[in-house]
Amino acid sequence: MTQMGTASIVAPARLPYQSRMLDIAPKVRRAVTEANDLRKLNDDQILGEIAESTRQLLVLRMQMSNRREIKTSDFSLHKKKIAQLKTIQREREIEQGVSIRDSRRAKKAAYRNMDILQRIRKFEQPADDE
């Protein structure tokens, strides 16, 4: 039995943890729009933006249920935008001296009286190729 030559496999030297982490660039996804830009909107525009982001969430859910290819990170982006807009709404109410109880009552009454179809633009119907 003859002994065959063995090639030695050497693993690359590992860098210390901190120096490895410095090489990695953070991949942080930005919000759909910046909060400072959203603060410049008036109350009606904020309501419109909330309705539009809600619509986009609905569209994303429908695309996902139809097994179309979507970016799942868009869900969190639109949810974050809605949260930012609602926070701005509440900040403005606090500046006006509206209590949380009065705010909730007013929102309930507004939602009961609001026609949702006025806030959300219509869906585009796909063209029939047949």
Side-chain angles (χ1 to χ4, degrees), residues 42-53:
N42 63 25
D43 294 337
D44 288 334
Q45 290 173 333
I46 287 178
L47 288 175
E49 288 289 324
I50 290 173
E52 184 62 26
S53 286

Side-chain angles (χ1 to χ4, degrees), residues 2 4-5 10-11 15-16 19 28 33 37 40 43 45 55 62 68-69 73-74 83 98 105-107 113:
T2 61
M4 298 174 90
V10 178
L15 297 174
S19 63
V28 177
T33 54
D37 296 335
K40 295 175 186 174
D43 294 337
Q45 290 173 333
R55 178 188 176 282
M62 288 190 322
R68 292 198 180 153
E69 190 173 324
S73 61
D74 287 346
V98 177
R105 282 184 186 157
K107 284 179 186 173
N113 297 332

Side-chain angles (χ1 to χ4, degrees), residues 17 74 86 106 116-117:
Y17 179 74
D74 287 346
K86 287 186 175 184
I116 193 71
L117 296 177

